[in-house]
């Protein structure tokens, strides 16, 4: 029974991916034909020949990395304060940080685009990255602040009492203890940024083209092969990042277990 | 530390200030085409257009992209967009922000989008009839100098033509059972329940709107009266139109409770044998869809005997385009007879019809090329004489939103 459930689970997870792969290499596969009659790499070739495809992946990747770094830098102090301290206006700070998850990005994006156009940030990698921060920050702040809520500041006090410098404390105590949460927060930021469509479209104004922009454009044409290829390319980097993070976190967990 | 930041900020401001005038230094006089060509040399033209069709994208990149580079040293940057409204918004946002050098140089627009930008005063003026190849365009034709009933006023240039047709699969449906009028179609649909549907009229489903307008023509018995707006005419005739669509509704795919929202969805239904007819606006009929691998090779286009609405596609230049010269050269290239001949060939994957009036082309070699193309449309296209016989112009613009809104109210939600 356990195996049946496990097999079913895998099937549900893998079936759509398998379908994408099949669609990527077929043409003219219509209902009610049970199997594709024609296998071809032309659509795949066409997608790879278009410089926008790899260019879009690269730009999206660069933006996602910038966004991940920026949101860590911004979220870390915010999360520390929110997780460790009780202060007046804490609830309001939470609200402000979480507002972007409830306000539709279209409303933010339209206004932001005009502002960014004025200051010359629209249509630049930096502008798009800053816009993505709006969507990623709630996730990074939330992940890190819940970690800080369980964080014992006495470790830092101990180190201070033993004569460690603030930098030493930060790198050897705080950062070490926060590593797993930092990894998870980075992952969230990366994934949210990588899959951003609307803000990229609005702020990028056609100058910044990432894979989701190409994917939505392809979807508007409805060609299943093109959509499948772009979807596969879209899934690939996040899948790699998740696999890598899962391994690292496992190792970290083992390290900690060994220490005790 | 602070000093360094100040220095960096000042430097970047200086750089930004220097960068802008250098780009726009290329002056030209539109009446002196050589000066346009000279100014365009070395520029990159950012052409924003709907990018949902692989074969159209490939056509644009190979045919125009190569020619622009080789002949004029212009780089074509085709910007693929999911919806024309996206770049209309971009241009409007740039206006709001007072951006003098926008992102868009040339855009494929039509109808309401054109009118929106024209109203916003964001279109480059006085060029469409001045470019050299405008001589091939019949600017006297109201179907060209009006776009969805709005005067074009020299602000956009046609590049292709379209006419609504239906598509059937000759392996499934035989030619002699095809409906040849809206009345026929209703009979056919109710004799074959669930095997027909149409695209929901609406901003994304302009072919559906066009299909509904054709029905309005047939039911009211005359197309010409709809060229100018008349509310009382609409009030007296539209109930019969909604009666028609409500009568056909129970016979439709899924009893007319849902409709495909655009052409792509209808094509998917058609190809997967859920319905028996699709719709298109291509002169090559089913040709481009077959090339795209989206329809079986047995797909064929056909028209009713009357009231098949046709019109033109245009390109326009935003007033804040930084590369107007290159955009003008591209708009001119689109009208070049050799590319007009290339764009209608099914194997090239573009599929839309001529924007030029072929009788205005005098060069014998070009005439031969155009005639050869026209003869090679293939069996997946509707015969040219049938298309021409059924051709009707579009309505006055006001009817566009009336049809779309009232269809929602009286057909979809009733």
């Amino acid at each position: 029974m356990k195996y049946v459930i496990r097999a079913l689970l895998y099937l549900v997870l893998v079936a759509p991916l398998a379908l994408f792969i099949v669609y990527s290499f077929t043409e003219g596969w219509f209902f009610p034909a049970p199997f594709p009659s024609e296998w071809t790499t032309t659509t795949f070739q066409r997608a790879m020949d278009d410089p926008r495809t790899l260019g879009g992946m690269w730009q999206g990747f660069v933006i996602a990395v910038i966004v991940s770094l920026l949101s860590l830098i911004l979220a870390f102090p915010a999360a520390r304060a929110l997780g460790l301290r009780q202060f007046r206006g804490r609830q309001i700070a939470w609200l402000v940080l979480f507002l972007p998850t409830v306000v539709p990005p279209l409303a933010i994006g339209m206004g932001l685009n005009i502002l960014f156009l004025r200051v010359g940030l629209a249509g630049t990698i930096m502008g798009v990255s800053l816009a993505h921060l709006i969507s990623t920050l709630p996730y990074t702040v939330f992940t890190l602040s819940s970690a800080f809520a369980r964080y014992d500041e006495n470790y830092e006090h101990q180190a201070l009492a033993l004569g460690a410098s603030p930098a030493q404390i930060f790198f050897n105590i705080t950062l070490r203890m926060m590593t797993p949460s930092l990894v998870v927060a980075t992952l969230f930021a990366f994934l949210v940024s990588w899959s951003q469509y609307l803000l990229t479209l609005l702020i990028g104004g056609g100058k910044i083209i990432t894979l989701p922009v190409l994917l939505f454009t392809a979807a508007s044409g409805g060609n299943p092969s093109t959509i499948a290829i772009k979807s596969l390319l879209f899934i690939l980097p996040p899948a790699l990042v998740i696999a890598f993070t899962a391994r690292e976190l496992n190792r970290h967990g083992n390290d900690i277990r060994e220490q005790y | 530390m602070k000093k360094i930041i100040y220095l960096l900020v000042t430097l970047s401001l200086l750089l930004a200030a220097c960068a802008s005038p250098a780009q726009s230094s290329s002056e030209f006089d539109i009446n002196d085409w050589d000066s346009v060509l000279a100014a365009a040399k070395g520029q990159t033209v950012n052409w924003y257009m709907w990018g949902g069709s692989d074969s159209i994208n490939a056509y644009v990149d190979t045919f125009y992209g190569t020619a622009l580079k080789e002949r004029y040293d212009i780089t074509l940057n085709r910007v693929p967009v999911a919806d024309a409204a996206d770049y209309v918004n971009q241009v409007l946002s740039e206006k709001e922000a007072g951006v003098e050098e926008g992102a868009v140089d040339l855009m494929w627009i039509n109808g309401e989008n054109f009118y929106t930008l024209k109203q916003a005063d964001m279109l480059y003026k006085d060029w469409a009839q001045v470019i050299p190849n405008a001589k091939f365009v019949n600017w006297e034709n109201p179907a060209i100098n009006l776009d969805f009933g709005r005067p074009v006023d020299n602000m956009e240039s046609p590049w292709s033509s379209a006419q609504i047709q239906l598509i059937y699969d000759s392996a499934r449906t035989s030619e002699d059972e095809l409906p040849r009028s809206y009345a026929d179609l209703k009979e056919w649909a109710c004799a074959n329940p669930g095997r027909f549907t149409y695209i929901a009229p609406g901003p994304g489903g302009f072919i559906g709107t066009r299909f509904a307008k054709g029905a309005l023509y047939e039911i009211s018995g005359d197309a010409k009266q709809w060229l100018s707006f008349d509310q009382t005419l609409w009030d007296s005739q539209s109930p019969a139109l909604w009666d028609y669509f409500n009568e056909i509704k129970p016979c439709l795919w899924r009893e007319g409770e849902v409709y495909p929202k655009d052409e792509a969805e209808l094509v998917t239904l058609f190809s997967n044998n859920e319905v028996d007819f699709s719709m298109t606006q291509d002169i090559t009929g089913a040709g481009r869809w077959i090339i795209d691998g989206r329809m079986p090779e047995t797909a064929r286009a056909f028209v009713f005997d009357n009231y098949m609405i046709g019109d033109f596609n245009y390109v326009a230049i935003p007033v804040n385009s930084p590369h107007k010269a290159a955009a003008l050269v591209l708009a001119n290239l689109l009208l070049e007879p050799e590319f007009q001949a290339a764009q209608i060939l099914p194997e090239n994957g573009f599929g839309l019809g001529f924007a030029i009036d072929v009788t205005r082309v005098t060069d014998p070699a070009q005439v031969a090329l155009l005639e050869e193309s026209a003869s090679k449309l293939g069996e997946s296209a509707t015969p040219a004489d049938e298309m021409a016989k059924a051709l009707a112009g579009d309505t006055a613009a006001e009817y566009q939103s009336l049809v779309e809104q009232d269809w929602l109210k009286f057909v979809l939600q009733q």
Side-chain angles (χ1 to χ4, degrees), chain A residues 220-231:
Chain A
S220 77
N223 186 339
S225 304
T226 316
I227 298 171
I229 290 163
K230 303 228 158 110
S231 303

Side-chain angles (χ1 to χ4, degrees), chain A residues 31 52 118 205 220-221 226, chain B residues 48 50 54 78 96 272 294:
Chain A
F31 183 83
R52 287 171 197 82
R118 287 212 177 108
S220 77
T226 316
Chain B
Y48 283 58
W50 176 73
D54 278 355
R78 176 179 58 77
E96 177 95 22
N272 289 315
R294 298 285 307 282

Side-chain angles (χ1 to χ4, degrees), chain A residues 83-124:
Chain A
L84 282 177
R85 307 267 177 271
Q86 294 295 333
F87 54 90
R88 235 134 98 88
R90 188 166 168 269
Q91 302 295 338
I92 293 171
W94 270 118
L95 183 72
V96 169
L97 279 166
F98 270 82
L99 219 48
T101 54
V102 275
V103 178
L106 188 68
I108 303 175
M110 297 285 261
L112 204 62
N113 190 29
I114 291 169
L115 178 73
F116 276 15
L117 279 165
R118 287 212 177 108
V119 297
L121 273 170
T124 64

Side-chain angles (χ1 to χ4, degrees), chain A residues 108-145:
Chain A
I108 303 175
M110 297 285 261
L112 204 62
N113 190 29
I114 291 169
L115 178 73
F116 276 15
L117 279 165
R118 287 212 177 108
V119 297
L121 273 170
T124 64
I125 297 249
M126 207 54 221
V128 173
S129 306
L130 287 177
H132 283 191
L133 272 181
I134 298 172
S135 328
T136 62
L137 269 179
Y139 296 97
T140 38
V141 171
F142 188 72
T143 318
L144 291 179
S145 68

Side-chain angles (χ1 to χ4, degrees), chain A residues 23 27-32 38 43 46-47 50-52 106 109-110 113-118 122-123 197-198 201-209 213-214 216-227 230, chain B residues 46 48-55 57-58 61 76-83 86 89-90 92-99 101-104 262 264 268 271-274 289-297:
Chain A
Y23 263 122
E27 215 177 59
W29 181 26
F30 307 123
F31 183 83
E38 243 180 278
T43 328
R46 195 159 50 194
D50 187 345
R52 287 171 197 82
L106 188 68
M110 297 285 261
N113 190 29
I114 291 169
L115 178 73
F116 276 15
L117 279 165
R118 287 212 177 108
Y197 166 67
L198 200 66
L201 179 81
L202 287 171
I203 308 295
K207 286 182 176 167
I208 304 294
I209 297 201
V213 176
L214 294 173
F216 270 76
T217 310
S220 77
N223 186 339
S225 304
T226 316
I227 298 171
K230 303 228 158 110
Chain B
N46 298 301
Y48 283 58
M49 56 184 280
W50 176 73
S53 161
D54 278 355
S55 61
N57 293 345
D61 288 342
L76 171 63
N77 177 33
R78 176 179 58 77
V79 181
V81 180
D83 184 349
D86 292 339
N89 278 334
Q90 169 70 18
L92 291 174
S93 298
E94 286 173 2
K95 176 192 165 139
E96 177 95 22
V99 173
E101 295 202 343
V104 186
D262 56 23
T268 305
S271 301
N272 289 315
N273 203 1
E274 290 200 58
W289 293 107
I290 296 172
I291 300 281
D292 250 348
R294 298 285 307 282
M295 282 188 187
E297 275 168 34

Side-chain angles (χ1 to χ4, degrees), chain B residues 29-333:
Chain B
D29 170 14
I30 180 131
N31 293 308
D32 173 10
W33 193 245
D34 285 332
S35 78
V36 176
L37 292 178
K41 209 168 151 58
Q43 285 187 338
T44 294
V45 56
N46 298 301
W47 187 6
Y48 283 58
M49 56 184 280
W50 176 73
S53 161
D54 278 355
S55 61
I56 291 183
N57 293 345
Y59 173 79
V60 168
D61 288 342
T62 8
F63 282 82
Y64 305 134
T66 315
L68 278 177
K69 192 79 210 164
E70 281 172 2
R71 297 179 199 178
Y72 307 108
D73 189 24
I74 293 170
T75 309
L76 171 63
N77 177 33
R78 176 179 58 77
V79 181
V81 180
D83 184 349
D86 292 339
Y87 44 83
V88 171
N89 278 334
Q90 169 70 18
V91 173
L92 291 174
S93 298
E94 286 173 2
K95 176 192 165 139
E96 177 95 22
V99 173
E100 277 166 29
E101 295 202 343
V104 186
D105 293 316
L106 192 73
M107 52 196 166
W108 174 1
I109 56 172
N110 251 32
E112 283 309 294
N113 287 325
F114 165 72
Y115 187 64
T116 306
L117 289 177
K118 188 182 171 191
Q119 291 283 80
D121 208 16
M122 278 308 282
L123 291 175
Y124 181 52
K125 296 187 176 73
D126 305 323
W127 63 275
Q129 297 182 46
V130 186
I131 55 175
N133 286 339
K135 64 172 183 278
F136 297 129
V137 178
N138 180 8
W139 278 104
E140 307 297 310
N141 181 356
I144 289 187
N145 62 40
L146 296 176
D147 183 1
F148 277 44
R150 314 279 193 192
V152 165
D153 285 344
N154 218 352
M155 289 183 218
E156 56 176 2
S157 172
W159 69 306
S160 56
S161 57
Q163 186 179 357
I164 190 169
Q165 300 147 67
L166 278 80
I167 291 178
Y168 71 104
D169 184 349
S170 58
R172 271 190 258 156
T173 316
S174 80
E175 200 186 339
D176 43 87
E177 54 176 304
L178 297 176
R180 292 296 180 177
S181 68
Y182 283 91
D184 267 8
L185 178 70
K186 189 166 82 185
E187 254 173 57
W188 187 96
C190 290
N192 302 273
R195 300 297 297 172
F196 175 74
T197 190
Y198 54 93
I199 301 163
F206 50 89
I207 298 186
T209 313
R210 187 153 284 181
F211 175 75
K213 284 177 178 175
L216 179 66
Y217 287 179
E218 181 175 308
I219 288 160
S220 65
D222 176 30
K224 295 238 160 45
Q225 58 183 333
W226 300 98
L227 280 174
S228 53
F229 181 66
D230 179 353
Q231 183 72 43
T232 49
L233 179 70
W234 171 256
D235 291 341
S236 67
Q237 298 288 343
S238 62
L241 176 68
W242 307 133
D243 286 347
Y244 173 83
F245 281 116
N246 282 320
E247 282 160 24
I248 202 174
K249 195 172 173 180
C251 308
L252 296 179
W253 174 76
R254 294 217 194 159
E255 274 115 39
E257 276 169 32
V258 276
Y259 295 83
K261 74 169 192 313
D262 56 23
E263 190 183 6
E265 284 189 10
L266 180 60
V267 168
T268 305
L269 289 179
F270 168 75
S271 301
N272 289 315
N273 203 1
E274 290 200 58
V275 296
D276 284 329
F277 298 126
S278 183
M279 295 177 191
T280 186
Q281 300 230 69
D282 290 5
I283 190 173
T284 52
R288 174 169 67 84
W289 293 107
I290 296 172
I291 300 281
D292 250 348
R294 298 285 307 282
M295 282 188 187
E297 275 168 34
T298 42
R300 303 279 179 271
F302 72 102
V303 287
F304 295 160
D305 294 333
N306 277 304
Y307 309 120
M308 303 308 274
I309 297 175
D311 72 342
F312 288 81
N313 293 307
Y314 300 84
V315 287
I317 304 172
V319 74
N320 64 350
S321 146
H323 312 112
K324 291 195 186 74
L328 287 168
V329 175
L330 174 52
N332 190 58
L333 186 81

